[in-house]
Amino acid sequence: MAINIIGAGLGRTGTYSLKLAINQLGYGPCYHMEEVLKNTNPQVQLWSEAIKGNSNWSAIYDGFNSAVDWPTAGFFRELLKEYPTAKFILTERNPENWADSFGSTILKLIEGKDKAPEKMHDWLDMVTLVLAKSGFPQGVDKDGLINGFIAHNKAVKEIIPEEQLLVYQVKDGWEPLCRFLNSPVPHESFPRTNNREEFWELVNSGS
């Protein structure tokens, strides 16, 4: 089973809504950080090895047809080589709003690692390394977050062939996504989820 759709957009850009939309369109199951939280063994170790350059994509994505969110988004270069015909989706939003959302969720989670349950520490260590790979080292300030976000999106647009890339905001709903995937537009409303409160519910479900 090969991955056909890859989300290159960073977390907190509507990636969970995109996951639900991809599943609804029939291109799932769609892999998301949620899968790592649900299956820390072996997923955390597999991603930790990928960070070192020892990737096993078939094991990571076993059973999945598509993938979005971190850690996936931090490996868009490697994944283009592994899946050269895949379609990539870059979810974007206002950089300053993204930095605020990231700072109150993912960054807060990483900075509070010492207060997290011990069984989450390996996962948090892996997430920290993925963030650094994506351009967000520990101690980064808000300006650094904004600059890193802009730099990541710029790199995706430069590296992914234009005909394989959709630059997308989930607020635009079904039409651009379905046009890119050559899929009929569903009658149901576009899924909108994973606000900041839902983020913490998701994280706590893995603890």
Side-chain angles (χ1 to χ4, degrees):
M1 183 178 290
I3 296 293
N4 298 308
I5 301 170
I6 296 171
L10 301 178
R12 311 311 300 165
T13 60
T15 53
Y16 200 80
S17 293
L18 179 60
K19 169 196 168 174
L20 296 178
I22 288 172
N23 284 339
Q24 192 168 333
L25 291 174
Y27 297 104
C30 184
Y31 186 99
H32 180 276
M33 179 65 89
E34 180 182 23
E35 307 305 328
V36 187
L37 273 168
K38 286 180 177 178
N39 303 286
T40 53
N41 182 18
Q43 285 288 322
V44 168
Q45 183 61 33
L46 286 168
W47 281 111
S48 297
E49 287 299 314
I51 293 166
K52 299 174 186 176
N54 305 318
S55 54
N56 186 343
W57 301 119
S58 61
I60 287 173
Y61 295 126
D62 184 32
F64 292 88
N65 289 308
S66 50
V68 301
D69 195 50
W70 270 311
T72 296
F75 291 81
F76 67 91
R77 296 173 180 86
E78 295 90 337
L79 292 171
L80 177 62
K81 293 179 181 178
E82 183 73 13
Y83 305 106
T85 62
K87 292 188 174 184
F88 285 75
I89 301 171
L90 174 63
T91 41
E92 288 192 317
R93 65 185 294 190
N94 174 276
E96 185 164 350
N97 291 345
W98 175 84
D100 288 338
S101 178
F102 178 89
S104 65
T105 53
I106 299 170
L107 186 62
K108 187 175 181 180
L109 180 65
I110 296 299
E111 290 176 343
K113 173 190 168 183
D114 292 342
K115 300 176 184 176
E118 187 174 349
K119 68 177 183 177
M120 292 185 71
H121 285 192
D122 287 346
W123 175 73
L124 288 168
D125 287 340
M126 181 274 292
V127 171
T128 301
L129 292 174
V130 169
L131 295 179
K133 175 178 169 57
S134 304
F136 307 99
Q138 286 185 282
V140 65
D141 61 11
K142 183 174 180 178
D143 286 342
L145 291 176
I146 292 171
N147 291 336
F149 181 74
I150 293 171
H152 170 86
N153 293 348
K154 182 173 183 286
V156 171
K157 294 171 189 175
E158 290 175 346
I159 291 168
I160 305 300
E162 186 176 354
E163 65 274 12
Q164 289 176 246
L165 178 64
L166 172 66
V167 180
Y168 176 66
Q169 294 193 35
V170 292
K171 68 180 182 180
D172 293 332
W174 287 120
E175 282 74 13
L177 179 63
C178 291
R179 187 165 56 247
F180 180 65
L181 299 177
N182 298 314
S183 179
V185 175
H187 296 295
E188 296 84 3
S189 298
F190 188 88
R192 302 190 187 281
T193 186
N194 199 12
N195 59 28
R196 298 182 194 186
E197 290 75 20
E198 289 172 322
F199 169 86
W200 290 110
E201 290 175 6
L202 178 63
V203 168
N204 290 333
S205 71
S207 63

